[in-house]
Amino acid sequence: MSATRWLALLALATLVRLALAALIPLAPDEAYYRIWAFSLQGGYLDHPPMVALFIKAGMALFGDTALGIRALGSLGTGLASLMIWRATELVFPGRGVAAVLMLNATLLVGIGAVVMTPDTPLLLFWCAALWALAELSTSGDGRWWFAVGLAAGGALLSKYTGALLGLGILLWLLVERGAWRWWRDWRLYAAGGLAVAIFAPVVAWNAAHCWVSFAKQGGRAGAESAGVGLRFVGELIGGQVALATPVLFVMFVAGVAIAVQRRSVFLAAFVLPGAAIFLWQATGSRVQGNWPAILYPAAAMLAAGHLGAAWRRWRQAGIVVGLAMGVAVQIQALAAPIPLARSRDPTLARLAGWPDFAASVQRAARASGAVFVAAEEYGLAAELALHAGMPVVAMEARWAYLALPAPPPGAPGLLVRSLRRGEGAPNWPDAIPVEGELIRSRRGMEAERYRLFRVTSGTGPAPQVVLPPP
């Protein structure tokens, strides 16, 4: 495929992704990160602040809309694809298009280009670092270390797993003899200092908040029984087979294995340490399926570079199947042509029915004389803030770390609580149950049931904050 043709294909894919980003409903986590954009700071309980900066910039361009929240994700994935193409061409001439096509055909990257999570900017900066390192390795020009430092700092500012990039660089510098000379170059250490300086606001924020974010995301392993640990490992591997798509997963593993066999450390260093750490963590706690996304770019480059003509048909089949699966998931999220139950349709569970459900909550609130609605779950509160059309009070502990106003005391409200949290009493004391239930659904398929409670602001547990409306 000529460069002009594949660049046109990438531009078209980016436009399609922007259209999907504007049309597919926001997930609860995306609605939650939207709140961060109204309270920019050096860090948050869950993650560093880059996702909030991306959303803020996108909303400045396209408004407080789904497109505004997600726009930089779709554009960033297109830019990351260009960087992986260039990096692959430097290391494996003539294989860049194959690497980009395989990377974009994975569900994790293809669908991730349409949503906004901390993994979205992380993938962009990770790919930028691989590109800069490829330029550095092939040209021998030490000035590329400054680009590496900038990209590494951006990765750290996106998500804590960005630290695995530094681990990969360290492994490459230690193991590959041709890279040893960089230990004598001051620009290597300047790049490290640059990355640390970019990450400094996150450290300062944590220091001012008792290191709460570092503690929360520190992770654990080995705390569960052997049977549970094996189950989590099985979930992790099975999830990656699905998210990479089966054929491409096998090709990624084969490409990395051949690189190890040939003692080609450069790109394998950005796959193996992360894979080992995620497998280790899975022995004691669940590893979310999206976390290993950062391993995919180097794996795609290795698969494109090391798997020759004998794999060509498999590569073509994997790309076609992966793209088809991604299109099917996005069509289901957008239009739900297949009526699947919640247990079989993540798009129903996460995306479906929020505007109609919020309208029913608003009607119930007004009928009961409430002047606000409230929620214990952060995602539910964030979705209601987008759609309910009246003040929304959130009350989970994480909101204490955002600069948001408290509601006036003594105001009547309506608490919304998912039945998936169980039949127990809500965390808000003296909450009075309201008869009946509300259902969030899509075309008659039930996504979730909720109960309502009358509450009074100021009487429940702190914090209570008012979320910004659209």
Side-chain angles (χ1 to χ4, degrees), residues 22-308:
L23 296 173
I24 293 176
L26 291 170
D29 281 349
E30 293 178 284
Y32 171 54
Y33 299 135
R34 166 190 170 269
I35 306 297
W36 291 11
F38 290 92
S39 181
L40 294 178
Q41 52 195 46
Y44 300 88
L45 175 63
D46 309 89
H47 298 289
M50 187 63 78
V51 66
L53 297 173
F54 267 48
I55 292 173
K56 189 73 171 181
M59 291 196 300
L61 294 172
F62 301 104
D64 188 4
T65 62
L67 178 59
I69 292 168
R70 293 167 165 166
L72 264 64
S74 299
L75 295 172
T77 302
L79 181 57
S81 298
L82 285 173
M83 293 172 175
I84 291 300
W85 170 78
R86 172 62 179 169
T88 308
E89 287 293 322
L90 288 169
V91 181
F92 304 111
R95 304 295 181 91
V97 173
V100 170
L101 288 175
M102 285 192 288
L103 181 63
N104 279 268
T106 64
L107 286 180
L108 199 55
V109 174
I111 295 175
V114 181
V115 300
M116 178 56 72
T117 71
D119 295 286
T120 309
L122 174 62
L123 185 68
L124 171 61
F125 289 111
W126 190 280
C127 292
L130 290 180
W131 165 54
L133 286 164
E135 296 279 5
L136 171 76
S137 177
T138 55
S139 71
D141 186 347
R143 290 174 295 180
W144 281 102
W145 276 119
F146 297 110
V148 173
L150 286 171
L156 286 170
L157 213 59
S158 300
K159 199 172 181 180
Y160 294 123
T161 48
L164 293 175
L165 181 63
L167 184 60
I169 294 172
L170 178 62
L171 179 61
W172 170 56
L173 292 174
L174 287 173
V175 175
E176 187 164 300
R177 183 180 296 272
W180 290 355
R181 69 187 185 92
W182 294 119
W183 291 110
R184 302 187 299 272
D185 194 316
W186 67 271
R187 290 168 293 195
L188 164 64
Y189 306 98
L194 181 59
V196 170
I198 293 172
F199 186 61
V202 182
V203 178
W205 185 90
N206 271 273
H209 294 85
C210 301
W211 310 103
V212 62
S213 185
F214 288 167
K216 182 179 187 296
Q217 298 294 355
R220 61 186 178 88
E224 301 286 354
S225 67
V228 173
L230 289 175
R231 176 167 64 86
F232 288 154
V233 171
E235 286 182 4
L236 172 61
I237 295 173
Q240 295 314 299
V241 171
L243 290 170
T245 70
V247 175
L248 294 179
F249 178 82
V250 171
M251 295 188 70
F252 289 173
V253 172
V256 174
I258 292 173
V260 172
Q261 183 183 24
R262 296 176 179 176
R263 299 183 180 179
S264 178
V265 180
F266 174 55
L267 290 172
F270 301 97
V271 179
L272 293 174
I277 288 173
F278 290 134
L279 284 169
W280 169 77
Q281 187 173 6
T283 63
S285 60
R286 178 171 281 111
V287 175
Q288 299 299 322
N290 59 296
W291 293 357
I294 50 178
L295 310 182
Y296 284 28
M301 293 172 67
L302 289 170
H306 288 309
L307 302 182

Side-chain angles (χ1 to χ4, degrees), residues 304-449:
H306 288 309
L307 302 182
W311 290 84
R312 183 176 180 181
R313 290 185 178 180
W314 285 105
R315 181 174 67 243
Q316 292 173 340
I319 291 169
V320 170
V321 170
L323 292 175
M325 291 174 64
V327 169
V329 171
Q330 289 164 344
I331 290 175
Q332 184 69 12
L334 184 62
I338 305 175
L340 298 175
R342 175 192 170 102
S343 60
R344 300 175 60 192
D345 187 357
T347 70
L348 173 64
R350 302 291 292 170
L351 307 177
W354 287 111
D356 290 341
F357 169 70
S360 65
V361 170
Q362 183 182 22
R363 289 193 295 270
R366 289 176 174 171
S368 68
V371 298
F372 69 89
V373 295
E376 299 171 343
E377 301 168 77
Y378 72 90
L380 174 57
E383 287 282 2
L384 290 174
L386 271 175
H387 302 294
M390 62 189 307
V392 174
V393 173
M395 54 176 293
E396 193 176 351
R398 71 185 64 228
W399 300 110
Y401 300 100
L402 277 75
L404 297 172
L414 193 67
L415 174 67
V416 185
R417 193 172 193 269
S418 171
L419 284 175
R420 294 180 64 82
R421 293 176 68 88
E423 298 287 345
N427 296 331
W428 203 304
D430 302 322
I432 302 172
V434 175
E435 186 176 352
E437 298 175 354
L438 294 180
I439 299 175
R440 178 169 61 85
S441 63
R442 180 177 63 193
R443 296 187 179 180
M445 299 298 297
E446 180 180 316
E448 202 158 357
R449 287 178 176 263

